[in-house]
Amino acid sequence: MESNFENQRDSASVLEALSSDRGRLGERITAETWWAAPAQGLGAALIVVAPAAGLAWAWLPFVLSVGVFVGVEVLFRKRSGFGITRPAGPRGWWLLVALFLIFFFSFVLSLGFALFGLTGWVVAVAVAVGVVTALIVVAYDRAYAAEVRRAG
């Protein structure tokens, strides 16, 4: 199979086009951060605050959180034209590990506060997790965009 690609462009213009495409991908990723990061922070806060709702109503914040996370993913794919299935590089992996650890220990802390009836502290932990999650999502999007721009 013969390709006419070599005849149309030289290697320098091909590399320039790839670099330009990576730059546009990076811009599309970070363009959605302004709404996706706070929404994901809200989703995380809903999960962490669930123990404060009591045993009978704890399912409601979980369901709302799943709705937020699924909605963010669907809307991100619709607006940006692609989905992110895994981190692009090591910084993204480290940010996800940090987010998971913060989220896990905050949920355990929230459960402990709820067991002792300290609902105000559960809400405080949930708010803190929401803010930290939003900040980590912003950092993740920026790291992902930078790693996509440098790929290859």
Side-chain angles (χ1 to χ4, degrees), residues 7-127:
N7 298 336
Q8 295 173 357
R9 298 182 185 172
D10 60 6
S11 61
S13 64
V14 170
L15 291 175
E16 185 179 311
L18 285 173
S19 177
S20 174
D21 286 346
R22 286 189 195 115
R24 282 195 298 266
L25 281 174
E27 289 172 12
R28 287 170 59 189
I29 291 166
T30 56
E32 303 301 320
T33 301
W34 69 270
W35 65 268
Q40 289 172 327
L42 173 64
L46 285 170
I47 289 176
V48 173
V49 83
L55 197 54
W57 290 98
W59 62 271
L60 184 59
F62 280 111
V63 170
L64 292 173
S65 179
V66 169
V68 167
F69 286 127
V70 170
V72 166
E73 179 64 22
V74 168
L75 194 56
F76 177 81
R77 286 178 185 242
K78 184 178 180 181
R79 289 174 56 109
S80 69
F82 62 93
I84 297 173
T85 58
R86 64 181 177 86
R91 287 191 318 184
W93 281 108
W94 283 112
L95 286 167
L96 286 180
V97 167
L99 182 63
F100 172 77
L101 290 174
I102 291 167
F103 185 73
F104 176 77
F105 287 114
S106 296
F107 184 74
V108 170
L109 186 63
S110 174
L111 281 172
F113 284 147
L115 287 174
F116 288 109
L118 302 170
T119 307
W121 284 103
V122 173
V123 173
V125 170
V127 169

